[in-house]
Amino acid sequence: MQFASDNAGPAHPAILEAIAKANDGHQRAYGSESAMDRVRARIREIFEAPQAEVHLVATGTAANALILGCMAKPWDAVFCSEHAHIEHDEGNAPEFYTGGAKLSLVPAPDGRITAAELDRVIGPVGARSFHNAQPGPISITQVTETGSVYALDQICAIGDLARARGQRLHMDGARFANAVAALGCSPADMTWRAGVDALSFGGTKNGCLGVEAAIFFDPALAADFALRRKRGGHLFSKHRFLSAQMEAYLAGDLWRDLARRANAACTKLVAGLLAHPEAEILHPAEANLVFVSLPRATLRRLIEAGADFYVMDGDPMTGDPAERLTARMVCDWSLGEERVARFLSLLG
Amino acid sequence: MQFASDNAGPAHPAILEAIAKANDGHQRAYGSESAMDRVRARIREIFEAPQAEVHLVATGTAANALILGCMAKPWDAVFCSEHAHIEHDEGNAPEFYTGGAKLSLVPAPDGRITAAELDRVIGPVGARSFHNAQPGPISITQVTETGSVYALDQICAIGDLARARGQRLHMDGARFANAVAALGCSPADMTWRAGVDALSFGGTKNGCLGVEAAIFFDPALAADFALRRKRGGHLFSKHRFLSAQMEAYLAGDLWRDLARRANAACTKLVAGLLAHPEAEILHPAEANLVFVSLPRATLRRLIEAGADFYVMDGDPMTGDPAERLTARMVCDWSLGEERVARFLSLLG
Amino acid sequence: MQFASDNAGPAHPAILEAIAKANDGHQRAYGSESAMDRVRARIREIFEAPQAEVHLVATGTAANALILGCMAKPWDAVFCSEHAHIEHDEGNAPEFYTGGAKLSLVPAPDGRITAAELDRVIGPVGARSFHNAQPGPISITQVTETGSVYALDQICAIGDLARARGQRLHMDGARFANAVAALGCSPADMTWRAGVDALSFGGTKNGCLGVEAAIFFDPALAADFALRRKRGGHLFSKHRFLSAQMEAYLAGDLWRDLARRANAACTKLVAGLLAHPEAEILHPAEANLVFVSLPRATLRRLIEAGADFYVMDGDPMTGDPAERLTARMVCDWSLGEERVARFLSLLG
Amino acid sequence: MQFASDNAGPAHPAILEAIAKANDGHQRAYGSESAMDRVRARIREIFEAPQAEVHLVATGTAANALILGCMAKPWDAVFCSEHAHIEHDEGNAPEFYTGGAKLSLVPAPDGRITAAELDRVIGPVGARSFHNAQPGPISITQVTETGSVYALDQICAIGDLARARGQRLHMDGARFANAVAALGCSPADMTWRAGVDALSFGGTKNGCLGVEAAIFFDPALAADFALRRKRGGHLFSKHRFLSAQMEAYLAGDLWRDLARRANAACTKLVAGLLAHPEAEILHPAEANLVFVSLPRATLRRLIEAGADFYVMDGDPMTGDPAERLTARMVCDWSLGEERVARFLSLLG
């Protein structure tokens, strides 16, 4: 009953097999291996984007920070949700890779920023002078950090705003597959057709060991990517072990399949929680994670029975048993609906 | 007959098996898995350094740059060989991670810097003012970039100089195992007992997929390492796949065994080259790489017969057949003496 | 009737005379001139802080950014008001000089942050991990950007919080003299006795050409200041022209005298505005600047009559005459109560 | 007998008068004052460069570092002389403002780099990959740090090389006026007609208090200058005191006149040194500074008689009296030939 993180789960066997298969004698290093050509072609196919530039790195923070480095100048502001992973959970990596750009936070009560709020925070066009941070890229997270999923028209509205202002749009897609599975839409519709210029396409949380793709729908933005990646120490010499993972991940729609499993488990979990008198769901839970408020006593009982999840706002083991705390529960591809059922039966 | 790089070779099967074995359900993420505790303990044991701080990253550039970031201030100069990998082959990563420190180059005719030359380049103690870059860490590479190996007393002389001046000493040990195998010495003697404060301990070039240890013999230097690693995007969520590699690499002295194989292949290669009338060995070749001067016609013939190596100073396929060019030939653990024999018979 | 900025006003004649007098043949450069010794001694005397480290730079942004660079690590968050000059008006200089620290904004309805709000924004002690920005320095502005002035007990409460958490406290004192004049307190009471570790002590806005002092009440924080200032290009070779300004500024309490004049003009201005039926004062105006809401038609009339001030939220010359806009009016030392009277008579 | 530095000398009275005259009531701030328009026009006229972008800062290090920031990417190498001020005397400011570019040193026995040596150091066109620092701007100093002056054809050869390679050319003209005076050429011939893309045009060493112009002959390079200057904290609010200095400096060719005086003093000094049996001139002394080798006893005698100069390589007061040491002697505009005569009579 592991709900702590989709980062804590195992890799899918097909990914491991691909790595073993890639370990075949000497090969060209640093991304010039033939598997990388296949990965690039496959991503262009999936995204219906024949011009897209594609690069691989091993961590989501690296993907986000390197892409933002390509999009933002050091004197820019990057606009993102008040809950954004790039703001809270990347240890100032975006600031590091942009050379000191500022993150300007947009209120997002349910995890999603709106074009209107974004417009307000950026301020009137032309109002910023050289005293102020300049209007730089906008970054949205899909699936959001609170478990909600942007509808296509919400992304389009933000994309339209970005284009009208001459700003760029980045999507942090650490859980991109889960969003595609949730919306049942095409990857192209959720990205470049909606105005997204660059995407961090996650693999690690959804069954890989550690691989993320930086996908630039506007290839001009990627002009310096290879130099930035090397400078960041993120270029793998034995790069074939990254491309092998990504190739297997994309083969036969494994990536969508794993996301569907994770979402299905979460849907079952949410249904169970909704039916429980004590539980209060705090944000729309539309993909594979849910924030739920429960009394400390209940959380404690679940933990003692072997459940693992992250409590956001206090120690579940010590304190007033009636106090309500917020737990984040994440379902990864490997969890399975059975384990969810067991958990719900424990919850009672 | 792959001599292009020890980066182009395969991983050892034991490393792959360890990864597969580590893929066992949910585990704690970000380095708090139990395998990391075992790796830390094993490295402390091998280095006879119970206080050492140990962290894992996936690339050698990341290890070097993060360690130098811990040792150098942005207004410092880092002193290294004119051939140093950190100067020539890391895309300004050291400058990035130190916040803009300068690399000051020390002449090193055979790849090794000497304490005397280092002393001359740094200049008299106290002579630098706030106008100048401040005397920061010294970085040496063992095995050097030209294939030579520092003798222990050479390292000690540099370590003594560093200590006398209050500067720190870093060792780039991308081929540390090959140096240990070449000298037959203890890891402790080649590092902290000789004055080395921090070591980049390589695994990738010697049979791993991608893992390097940053080892701090002075734990105070590592105080910010975890924060720097996260900020650099180098913290793996599924960190167990790094620790599994390193654990297997260190188990039963696999690391030394693989290095011995690589060095043995190179010894055979060097002997063959020395016996050849056209070949001129350019630097002491004391571990697993050799720089050799040969006529273009000969290099071309070898390439056409299937040999792969890096030519430093020209196109081997086009130009005056008699012109001498310099080839770098690297032997990895998997090469084997048979393939060397085949190559030498081609050379004739 | 110049209310645009205290930056737009002239220097006091005594400052210019001091510069002319300092132009006396050859002198030691880079801050080792004797006038700097006198400046240091005088500041220590005024602040009753015999250990304070004192350095001069030419701009307020340089003073703030260099001091924050000494106080914050690149992975830290700096906590400041949502209105802070360092957030809005320094073109990402704080991010640049800290190597990429993040500014975390604290709500401040009247321009002042409170210890309670600050505590809430920083979050529980120990709750931040290496994923998050670390709790770095707190920066407050005195006089605030909205014209209010922190009372001593408000600064003390923030100082106590900082000390209890092991965080540092910086004061942006671009209008420090105006705050001292407003509170009638001692410089020591408003700074180190209240927990302030370092102060940007402004001269430029209050009658100098361009000079600010970076004052470190904890000298340990200043260990790298000289190196940081040089690296930032802020060390003047003919430094005597900075120290001459500061010496004259501090002589005979000129600094307080000029601030008193500016505050007196503003007091008169505020009284006049309060008496006007159309005017609405938006923030406590306790020193030398005031934010006032007036109908566009009125603002336009004043501008056409020769008044100069900054309109925050729209074009005063075009649009609905009845729409209310916010004007910022700043009184500098040279303005004089007569000109205020003339302005008020225009206002009618 | 002040030969220590042209930084240690006084400002010319005309500069001070201009500052006093500029102190006239309220004026627009931040460089939008009318005097800046006049400065811009005058520099365009002097340089016969109607498109040139012109900005003012207060220090030479700021001018150099900000210009290099506009020209170099963080992953570039900047190529400069082994004696370059930007390498040795700016406390890593170029690295800071470029975001971590590397300075690659070109041998320059007499202070001047040659196109041929430069070509060798940069290496064959196209030979650098993403592992290496990329070929960034070239920076030359005119007058050089050793007192020599590039002839026009030497600059043209470097300019041609830069253009052929697609690299940019910067000139550090801290002593630009002295070079113009030495060569008797037009500013245009020494800069953009010879291939120089941007110039640090010095005022401080030649009679100003503290002002330098960043002149971009290719205005595209200056696109971000205003943002970079603000981010560096180098934008003066009371900018009129910078433009007033520069306006007076350029009026009636004061700048050339002062440089001619300094050069004339140095010419006399060099003639006297050449006539002295003990003195050995170490580099071509073609403008206003000279490096001379003299026995310690002689240097000591001169110092004790009141002469002031910088001894490069040892303590002139203590040690073997016969040991030869190198003194740097700099003549500023205010020194005068009489004082040189007095010094030479002391030398005997």
Side-chain angles (χ1 to χ4, degrees):
Chain A
M1 296 174 304
Q2 297 288 339
F3 300 102
S5 174
D6 30 14
N7 274 333
H12 187 270
I15 305 293
L16 281 175
E17 280 159 31
I19 284 178
K21 211 173 139 198
N23 194 37
D24 178 27
H26 284 74
Q27 291 192 15
R28 296 176 70 186
Y30 298 115
S32 53
E33 72 279 1
S34 57
M36 185 60 210
D37 295 333
R38 296 192 298 272
V39 164
R40 192 178 293 109
R42 179 78 175 115
I43 284 182
R44 288 172 175 175
E45 179 189 34
I46 289 172
F47 282 87
E48 307 166 56
Q51 310 300 334
E53 278 289 321
V54 180
H55 298 279
L56 301 182
V57 292
T59 74
T61 296
N64 283 340
L66 282 164
I67 293 174
L68 290 174
C70 292
M71 299 176 98
K73 297 282 189 183
W75 39 85
D76 280 352
V78 176
F79 298 90
C80 63
S81 148
E82 62 184 323
H83 303 292
H85 196 268
I86 58 172
E87 167 70 9
H88 292 292
D89 292 293
E90 301 193 347
N92 290 8
E95 288 86 349
F96 184 38
Y97 279 87
T98 58
K102 178 190 295 297
L103 272 61
S104 286
L105 306 184
V106 181
D110 71 357
R112 289 175 283 232
I113 62 174
T114 64
E117 271 295 277
L118 186 57
D119 196 49
R120 188 187 61 75
V121 169
I122 305 176
V125 171
R128 289 173 182 246
S129 78
F130 53 71
H131 296 292
N132 319 123
Q134 300 299 297
I138 298 152
S139 179
I140 58 175
T141 310
Q142 175 79 318
V143 178
T144 73
E145 291 80 0
T146 64
S148 56
V149 177
Y150 285 93
L152 292 190
D153 61 344
Q154 293 174 313
I155 303 173
C156 286
I158 293 169
D160 289 348
L161 181 79
R163 208 167 304 130
R165 283 176 163 276
Q167 295 176 245
R168 298 297 198 148
L169 181 54
H170 166 247
M171 180 178 278
D172 174 356
R175 295 188 180 95
F176 186 86
N178 302 90
V180 166
L183 294 183
C185 68
S186 83
D189 284 348
M190 205 163 84
T191 55
W192 62 269
R193 281 204 197 101
V196 172
D197 295 295
L199 169 69
S200 305
F201 177 76
T204 311
K205 287 179 193 292
N206 193 33
C208 296
L209 279 75
V211 69
E212 313 276 315
I215 305 177
F216 293 88
F217 302 109
D218 177 353
L221 284 174
D224 296 328
F225 188 89
L227 293 162
R228 290 179 180 275
R229 178 176 56 178
K230 177 72 195 181
R231 184 172 80 117
H234 285 289
L235 177 61
F236 272 48
S237 53
K238 297 183 174 175
H239 188 276
R240 59 170 127 169
F241 297 116
L242 293 184
S243 49
Q245 288 182 67
M246 187 53 76
E247 191 177 11
Y249 182 59
L250 300 175
D253 270 355
L254 179 64
W255 66 288
R256 289 190 212 243
D257 187 43
L258 298 180
R260 265 184 232 113
R261 294 192 217 175
N263 288 9
C266 193
T267 301
K268 189 179 180 81
L269 174 63
V270 169
L273 291 169
L274 281 170
H276 193 274
E278 283 177 351
E280 183 189 354
I281 305 268
L282 297 179
H283 300 288
E286 300 168 347
N288 69 320
L289 68 164
V290 56
F291 287 76
V292 60
S293 166
L294 281 167
R296 177 179 275 112
T298 308
L299 292 172
R300 182 171 168 173
R301 185 166 51 79
L302 291 165
I303 290 167
E304 285 170 349
D308 191 14
F309 43 76
Y310 187 61
V311 178
M312 310 298 288
D313 48 1
D315 180 348
M317 308 311 277
T318 319
D320 174 8
E323 190 189 0
R324 298 186 75 85
L325 296 173
T326 301
R328 187 190 74 161
M329 298 180 181
V330 190
C331 302
D332 86 329
W333 70 273
S334 75
L335 188 71
E337 301 187 31
E338 259 175 68
R339 262 176 283 195
V340 173
R342 184 140 50 90
F343 174 82
L344 291 173
S345 75
L346 276 173
L347 179 59
Chain B
M1 297 173 302
Q2 298 287 339
F3 300 102
S5 174
D6 31 12
N7 274 335
H12 187 271
I15 305 293
L16 282 174
E17 280 160 32
I19 285 177
K21 211 172 139 197
N23 193 38
D24 177 29
H26 284 73
Q27 291 192 13
R28 296 176 69 185
Y30 297 115
S32 54
E33 72 279 1
S34 58
M36 185 60 208
D37 295 334
R38 295 192 298 272
V39 164
R40 191 178 294 110
R42 179 75 174 116
I43 284 182
R44 288 173 174 174
E45 178 189 34
I46 288 172
F47 281 87
E48 307 168 56
Q51 311 300 334
E53 277 290 321
V54 180
H55 299 280
L56 301 182
V57 292
T59 73
T61 296
N64 284 340
L66 283 165
I67 293 174
L68 289 174
C70 292
M71 298 176 99
K73 297 282 189 181
W75 40 84
D76 280 352
V78 175
F79 298 90
C80 64
S81 149
E82 60 183 324
H83 303 291
H85 195 269
I86 59 171
E87 166 70 10
H88 293 291
D89 292 292
E90 301 192 346
N92 290 7
E95 287 87 349
F96 185 38
Y97 279 87
T98 58
K102 178 191 295 298
L103 271 59
S104 286
L105 307 184
V106 181
D110 72 355
R112 290 175 282 231
I113 62 174
T114 63
E117 271 296 276
L118 186 58
D119 196 50
R120 187 187 62 75
V121 169
I122 305 176
V125 172
R128 291 172 180 246
S129 78
F130 52 70
H131 297 291
N132 319 123
Q134 300 300 297
I138 297 152
S139 178
I140 59 176
T141 311
Q142 175 79 318
V143 176
T144 73
E145 291 81 2
T146 64
S148 55
V149 176
Y150 284 93
L152 293 190
D153 61 344
Q154 292 174 315
I155 303 174
C156 286
I158 293 169
D160 288 349
L161 181 78
R163 207 167 305 130
R165 283 177 163 276
Q167 295 176 245
R168 297 298 198 149
L169 182 55
H170 165 247
M171 180 178 279
D172 174 356
R175 296 188 180 96
F176 186 85
N178 303 89
V180 165
L183 293 183
C185 68
S186 83
D189 284 348
M190 206 164 84
T191 54
W192 62 270
R193 281 206 196 101
V196 173
D197 295 297
L199 169 70
S200 304
F201 176 75
T204 311
K205 288 180 194 290
N206 193 32
C208 296
L209 278 76
V211 68
E212 313 276 315
I215 306 177
F216 293 87
F217 302 109
D218 177 351
L221 284 173
D224 296 328
F225 189 89
L227 293 162
R228 290 178 180 275
R229 179 175 58 179
K230 177 72 195 180
R231 185 172 78 117
H234 286 290
L235 178 61
F236 273 49
S237 53
K238 295 183 174 174
H239 187 277
R240 58 170 130 168
F241 297 116
L242 293 184
S243 49
Q245 289 182 67
M246 187 54 77
E247 191 177 13
Y249 182 59
L250 299 175
D253 270 355
L254 179 63
W255 66 289
R256 289 191 213 238
D257 187 42
L258 297 179
R260 266 185 231 113
R261 293 192 217 177
N263 287 9
C266 193
T267 300
K268 189 180 180 80
L269 173 64
V270 169
L273 291 169
L274 281 171
H276 192 273
E278 284 177 349
E280 185 189 352
I281 305 268
L282 296 179
H283 299 288
E286 300 168 347
N288 70 321
L289 69 162
V290 56
F291 287 76
V292 60
S293 166
L294 281 167
R296 178 179 275 112
T298 307
L299 291 171
R300 181 170 169 175
R301 184 163 54 80
L302 291 165
I303 291 168
E304 286 170 349
D308 190 14
F309 42 77
Y310 187 59
V311 179
M312 310 297 289
D313 48 2
D315 180 347
M317 307 312 278
T318 318
D320 174 9
E323 191 188 1
R324 299 186 75 87
L325 295 174
T326 300
R328 188 191 72 162
M329 299 180 180
V330 190
C331 302
D332 87 326
W333 70 273
S334 76
L335 187 72
E337 301 188 29
E338 259 176 66
R339 264 176 280 196
V340 173
R342 184 140 50 90
F343 173 81
L344 290 173
S345 75
L346 275 173
L347 178 61
Chain C
M1 296 172 302
Q2 298 287 340
F3 301 101
S5 174
D6 31 13
N7 274 333
H12 188 271
I15 305 292
L16 282 176
E17 280 160 31
I19 284 178
K21 209 172 139 197
N23 195 35
D24 178 28
H26 284 74
Q27 292 192 15
R28 297 175 69 184
Y30 298 115
S32 53
E33 72 279 1
S34 57
M36 185 60 209
D37 295 333
R38 294 192 298 270
V39 164
R40 191 178 295 109
R42 178 78 175 116
I43 285 182
R44 288 172 175 173
E45 180 190 32
I46 288 173
F47 282 87
E48 306 167 54
Q51 310 300 333
E53 278 288 322
V54 180
H55 298 280
L56 301 183
V57 293
T59 74
T61 296
N64 283 340
L66 282 165
I67 292 174
L68 289 173
C70 291
M71 298 176 100
K73 297 281 190 184
W75 39 85
D76 280 352
V78 176
F79 298 90
C80 63
S81 150
E82 61 183 324
H83 303 292
H85 195 268
I86 59 171
E87 167 69 10
H88 293 292
D89 291 293
E90 301 193 345
N92 289 10
E95 289 86 348
F96 184 38
Y97 280 86
T98 58
K102 179 191 294 298
L103 271 60
S104 286
L105 306 185
V106 180
D110 71 358
R112 291 175 282 232
I113 61 174
T114 63
E117 270 296 277
L118 186 58
D119 195 50
R120 187 187 62 75
V121 170
I122 306 176
V125 173
R128 290 173 181 245
S129 79
F130 53 72
H131 297 292
N132 319 122
Q134 300 299 297
I138 298 152
S139 179
I140 59 175
T141 310
Q142 175 80 319
V143 176
T144 74
E145 291 80 2
T146 64
S148 55
V149 177
Y150 285 94
L152 293 190
D153 62 342
Q154 291 173 315
I155 303 173
C156 285
I158 293 169
D160 289 348
L161 181 78
R163 206 167 305 128
R165 282 173 163 278
Q167 296 176 243
R168 296 297 198 150
L169 181 55
H170 165 246
M171 179 178 281
D172 174 356
R175 297 189 178 94
F176 186 84
N178 303 90
V180 165
L183 294 183
C185 68
S186 82
D189 283 348
M190 205 164 84
T191 55
W192 63 268
R193 281 205 197 100
V196 172
D197 294 297
L199 168 69
S200 306
F201 176 76
T204 311
K205 287 181 195 290
N206 194 32
C208 296
L209 278 76
V211 68
E212 312 276 316
I215 306 176
F216 292 89
F217 301 108
D218 178 352
L221 284 173
D224 295 329
F225 189 90
L227 294 161
R228 291 179 179 274
R229 179 176 56 178
K230 176 74 195 178
R231 185 171 80 115
H234 285 290
L235 178 60
F236 272 49
S237 53
K238 296 183 175 174
H239 188 276
R240 58 170 130 169
F241 297 116
L242 294 183
S243 49
Q245 289 182 66
M246 188 53 79
E247 191 177 10
Y249 183 59
L250 299 176
D253 269 357
L254 178 64
W255 67 288
R256 290 192 212 237
D257 186 44
L258 298 179
R260 266 184 231 114
R261 294 192 217 175
N263 288 10
C266 194
T267 301
K268 190 179 179 81
L269 173 64
V270 170
L273 292 169
L274 282 171
H276 192 275
E278 284 177 350
E280 185 189 354
I281 304 269
L282 297 179
H283 299 289
E286 300 169 345
N288 69 321
L289 68 163
V290 57
F291 287 76
V292 61
S293 167
L294 282 167
R296 178 179 275 111
T298 307
L299 291 171
R300 183 171 166 173
R301 184 164 53 79
L302 291 165
I303 291 168
E304 285 169 350
D308 190 15
F309 43 75
Y310 187 60
V311 178
M312 310 299 288
D313 48 2
D315 181 346
M317 308 311 279
T318 319
D320 175 6
E323 190 189 0
R324 298 186 75 84
L325 295 174
T326 301
R328 188 190 73 162
M329 299 180 182
V330 190
C331 302
D332 85 329
W333 69 273
S334 75
L335 187 71
E337 301 188 30
E338 260 175 66
R339 264 175 280 195
V340 173
R342 184 141 49 93
F343 174 82
L344 291 173
S345 73
L346 277 174
L347 178 61
Chain D
M1 296 173 302
Q2 297 288 340
F3 301 101
S5 173
D6 30 13
N7 275 334
H12 188 270
I15 305 294
L16 282 176
E17 280 159 32
I19 285 178
K21 209 173 140 197
N23 194 36
D24 178 29
H26 284 73
Q27 291 192 15
R28 296 175 69 188
Y30 298 117
S32 53
E33 72 279 2
S34 57
M36 186 60 208
D37 295 333
R38 295 192 299 270
V39 164
R40 193 179 293 109
R42 178 79 175 116
I43 284 181
R44 288 173 175 173
E45 180 189 31
I46 288 173
F47 281 88
E48 307 168 53
Q51 311 300 334
E53 279 289 323
V54 180
H55 297 280
L56 300 182
V57 291
T59 73
T61 296
N64 284 339
L66 282 164
I67 293 174
L68 290 173
C70 291
M71 299 175 98
K73 298 280 192 184
W75 39 84
D76 280 352
V78 175
F79 299 90
C80 63
S81 149
E82 60 183 326
H83 303 291
H85 195 268
I86 59 173
E87 166 71 9
H88 293 292
D89 291 292
E90 301 192 345
N92 288 8
E95 288 86 349
F96 184 39
Y97 279 86
T98 59
K102 178 191 296 298
L103 271 60
S104 285
L105 306 185
V106 180
D110 72 356
R112 290 176 282 233
I113 62 173
T114 64
E117 271 294 279
L118 187 58
D119 196 50
R120 187 187 62 75
V121 169
I122 306 176
V125 172
R128 289 172 181 247
S129 78
F130 53 68
H131 296 293
N132 319 123
Q134 300 298 299
I138 297 151
S139 179
I140 59 176
T141 311
Q142 176 79 321
V143 177
T144 73
E145 291 80 1
T146 64
S148 55
V149 176
Y150 285 93
L152 293 190
D153 62 343
Q154 291 174 316
I155 303 173
C156 285
I158 293 169
D160 288 348
L161 181 79
R163 207 167 305 129
R165 284 175 163 277
Q167 295 176 245
R168 296 299 197 146
L169 181 55
H170 165 248
M171 180 178 280
D172 173 356
R175 296 188 179 96
F176 186 83
N178 303 90
V180 166
L183 294 182
C185 67
S186 82
D189 283 348
M190 205 163 85
T191 55
W192 62 269
R193 284 207 194 99
V196 172
D197 294 298
L199 169 70
S200 306
F201 176 76
T204 311
K205 288 180 194 290
N206 193 31
C208 297
L209 278 76
V211 68
E212 314 274 315
I215 305 176
F216 292 88
F217 302 108
D218 178 352
L221 284 173
D224 296 329
F225 189 90
L227 294 161
R228 290 178 181 275
R229 180 176 55 178
K230 177 72 195 181
R231 185 172 77 117
H234 285 289
L235 177 62
F236 272 49
S237 53
K238 296 184 175 175
H239 188 276
R240 58 171 129 168
F241 297 116
L242 293 184
S243 48
Q245 289 183 65
M246 187 53 78
E247 191 177 10
Y249 182 59
L250 299 175
D253 270 355
L254 179 64
W255 65 289
R256 289 191 213 239
D257 187 43
L258 298 179
R260 265 185 231 115
R261 292 191 218 177
N263 288 10
C266 194
T267 300
K268 190 178 178 80
L269 173 64
V270 170
L273 291 170
L274 281 170
H276 193 273
E278 282 177 352
E280 186 188 353
I281 305 268
L282 297 179
H283 300 289
E286 299 168 346
N288 69 321
L289 68 163
V290 55
F291 287 75
V292 59
S293 166
L294 281 167
R296 179 179 275 113
T298 307
L299 292 171
R300 183 170 166 176
R301 186 165 52 79
L302 291 165
I303 292 167
E304 285 170 349
D308 191 14
F309 44 76
Y310 187 59
V311 179
M312 311 297 289
D313 48 1
D315 180 347
M317 307 313 276
T318 320
D320 175 6
E323 191 189 359
R324 298 186 75 85
L325 295 174
T326 300
R328 187 189 75 162
M329 298 180 181
V330 191
C331 302
D332 86 328
W333 70 274
S334 75
L335 186 71
E337 301 188 31
E338 257 176 68
R339 263 176 280 195
V340 173
R342 187 142 47 94
F343 174 80
L344 291 173
S345 72
L346 276 173
L347 178 61

